[in-house]
Amino acid sequence: MGNRSWNDYRQFAAVILWILCMTTIAIPAQAQDDPPASEQNAANPVGDGELTPEVANKLANLLDRDWDERPEWAEMLVMVLKGQTMRMGPGTGWFRDAQKKYDWLWLLDRFDINADRVVQLAELPASPQREFYFTRLDLNRDGELTGIDFSRNSYSVNPFAKQTFTRLDTDSNGRLSQEEWQKFFSRSDRDERGFLTPEDFQAAFSPAPPRPDPTNQPSRPPQMPPTTYWLNMLVNGELGSLSNGPNVGDPAPDFKLTTYQGDSEVALSSFKGTKPVVLIFGSFT
Amino acid sequence: MSSNTRVGIEFEQPKTFDERIEVASSCCASLEFTMPLVVDTMKNRVEKAYSAFPDRLYIIDQEGRVAYKGGRGPFGYMPRELEQTLVMLLIAEPPALATAADEPVDQGSDAEDAETPAEPASESDEVADDTAAPAAE
């Protein structure tokens, strides 16, 4: 023991020193592995898996900025990410105008002989159907074909008329029968006077005030479904078909389906060379 | 859909082809259809090919090409716009057959709603009336 030289110790000391350096270096690294909670969120802004409005908006802006030629479903994706689903309507997202092989401008170009931007009956080609065709084009029934007949306003019934009609069409078959009309009169003429006053008419269209329900919770404003709800709807095809469908000029995809009675088959291609076909896609539920 | 429930039309979402047929039958009966109604497969093959959900209108010309593609429903579902385009098509391309009338072919994924355009008169046929459907809610 007495004979141990300093060299031994120095070696030992050097070794010790080295270890200490290692330890010193290691400690800061270890501290980085285990940061305090606030530092952890700053380093990981996506959080624990929820789609925040901030992230959704950023994604929408990236898509807007860099993806010009995008499929229709992507238009809806952007709307959903921006939280604009309540604004769905004509002209938004994938709800675009119709495509037409023949339109108002074509009609003007072909038949507006005196170039007054109006097409008269006489300017249409003579045929047994001419008058019929004319009346089906003249939507505002003013006896002339103008741009107004080909505008969106002409294609849909105004909200008031629509609402009134729905109220009166009690069997909802899209036809207001004389019977339905008279029943409306009878039920609006509460005092059976044989006539309706403006107040009766108004009352007929005003909903009855809701009766307070003693078991009901105090009403809260309805909550907007979260973005993830709409994304789910979108990818499940519930906002609309995810495919684009054929465009004007494209060959129509052929199909062969049976009638609902099960007694005959209809193949689209069977009409080729005979006459045009109108396809009405819809659902009854 | 309240306009349906009001008149006792309430169906569970059909899960089988037979259930779809039932809905289609009810539809045709209630709405007094006169045109053919065909039912899509449960895989909705045709609906997908035509991007047709929830509803949509097309005109196919005599060469088998799309001449009118309506906007997506419900907003773009406008029978009067379809009808105008059909009239212009008939003016531009008189059909090969002797009668000028064309047959609309209905096609429903479940069944059909009532909104249909008037059929243009042939030399002998009468004009069918438009039926206006209740708006989709």
Side-chain angles (χ1 to χ4, degrees):
Chain A
M1 197 71 161
N3 275 350
R4 274 197 197 260
S5 69
W6 176 239
N7 277 343
D8 292 338
Y9 287 108
R10 262 161 69 192
Q11 199 175 32
F12 192 57
V15 168
I16 291 172
L17 203 62
W18 185 67
I19 291 171
L20 276 168
C21 285
M22 281 289 291
T23 317
T24 314
I25 292 164
I27 287 172
Q30 213 173 3
Q32 274 171 12
D33 283 338
D34 239 354
S38 57
E39 274 183 30
Q40 193 166 39
N41 281 344
N44 187 22
V46 180
D48 59 344
E50 275 194 22
L51 180 61
T52 61
E54 292 77 21
V55 171
N57 266 304
K58 279 186 181 171
L59 188 52
N61 290 330
L62 282 173
L63 293 170
D64 260 346
R65 187 192 76 187
D66 290 343
W67 200 6
D68 275 339
E69 293 299 315
R70 61 182 93 128
E72 290 184 6
W73 61 261
E75 298 288 356
M76 288 315 288
L77 175 62
V78 170
M79 268 193 89
V80 167
L81 290 173
K82 288 183 178 177
Q84 292 173 342
T85 43
M86 290 293 118
R87 287 192 223 162
M88 273 197 277
T92 68
W94 59 15
F95 298 106
R96 299 184 184 158
D97 285 345
Q99 299 173 14
K100 311 176 193 182
K101 187 174 181 184
Y102 301 105
D103 60 6
W104 166 235
L105 293 178
W106 170 84
L107 196 70
L108 267 182
D109 189 57
R110 267 292 280 271
F111 300 113
D112 183 19
I113 299 161
N114 61 358
D116 62 349
R117 299 197 71 78
V118 174
V119 175
Q120 308 285 357
L121 174 64
E123 288 175 313
L124 287 183
S127 83
Q129 293 86 24
R130 179 165 67 173
E131 276 208 39
F132 173 74
Y133 288 164
F134 188 84
T135 52
R136 302 318 295 178
L137 294 172
D138 181 20
L139 293 185
N140 68 355
R141 304 188 198 180
D142 66 353
E144 293 182 328
L145 303 181
T146 63
I148 298 170
D149 294 309
F150 295 82
S151 64
R152 179 170 275 275
N153 279 344
S154 292
Y155 296 140
S156 33
V157 178
N158 74 56
F160 171 72
K162 209 168 208 176
Q163 211 176 51
T164 310
F165 185 92
T166 307
R167 269 300 168 112
L168 270 60
D169 178 25
T170 43
D171 72 357
S172 285
N173 70 344
R175 296 176 188 182
L176 180 52
S177 66
Q178 202 164 28
E179 200 190 330
E180 284 170 326
W181 183 269
Q182 275 158 0
K183 279 195 175 147
F184 169 77
F185 184 92
S186 309
R187 67 174 182 266
S188 308
D189 182 17
R190 290 165 199 265
D191 302 329
E192 290 176 22
R193 292 182 286 185
F195 59 83
L196 300 181
T197 62
E199 288 74 19
D200 290 329
F201 202 82
Q202 179 176 267
F205 288 100
S206 310
R211 260 187 243 114
D213 182 354
T215 64
N216 225 351
Q217 307 278 339
S219 61
R220 293 173 303 164
Q223 279 200 311
M224 259 289 286
T227 303
T228 44
Y229 167 86
W230 293 107
L231 288 176
N232 207 30
M233 294 265 284
L234 177 63
V235 301
N236 287 332
E238 292 184 40
L239 294 184
S241 295
L242 293 174
S243 51
N244 289 8
N247 292 319
V248 164
D250 291 346
D254 195 17
F255 58 82
K256 204 180 205 179
L257 295 174
T258 36
T259 57
Y260 76 96
Q261 303 98 322
D263 55 3
S264 58
E265 261 196 336
V266 178
L268 180 63
S269 46
S270 67
F271 294 100
K272 209 165 174 180
T274 62
K275 43 189 174 179
V277 182
V278 172
L279 301 180
I280 304 174
F281 289 89
S283 56
F284 188 60
T285 51
Chain B
M1 179 178 280
S2 65
S3 64
N4 277 356
T5 323
R6 192 161 51 137
V7 295
I9 296 167
E10 257 184 282
F11 289 101
E12 292 276 330
Q13 196 62 237
K15 293 194 178 62
T16 68
F17 192 73
D18 284 339
E19 285 170 6
R20 261 198 190 172
I21 298 283
E22 241 182 82
V23 178
S25 304
S26 172
C27 168
C28 286
S30 304
L31 302 178
E32 299 172 42
F33 264 28
T34 54
M35 59 191 79
L37 185 146
V38 293
V39 181
D40 202 357
T41 66
M42 288 311 288
K43 288 198 172 149
N44 299 323
R45 191 184 76 77
V46 186
E47 175 257 299
K48 286 181 171 131
Y50 283 87
S51 178
F53 185 80
D55 48 14
R56 202 149 196 180
L57 298 168
Y58 281 87
I59 302 175
I60 315 300
D61 68 20
Q62 293 168 78
E63 279 139 47
R65 294 184 177 275
V66 176
Y68 171 85
K69 177 184 188 179
R72 284 172 180 264
F75 310 114
Y77 190 90
M78 297 190 288
R80 296 211 178 269
E81 181 186 56
L82 168 94
E83 189 184 3
Q84 274 182 340
T85 314
L86 179 59
V87 165
M88 289 189 284
L89 175 65
L90 292 170
I91 291 172
E93 304 173 25
L97 290 192
T99 65
D102 62 280
E103 267 174 54
V105 176
D106 275 319
Q107 203 261 37
S109 321
D110 293 353
E112 188 42 83
D113 71 14
E115 203 151 16
T116 61
E119 293 162 34
S122 72
E123 280 141 38
S124 51
D125 285 346
E126 287 273 292
V127 173
D129 284 333
D130 274 9
T131 58
E137 289 171 13

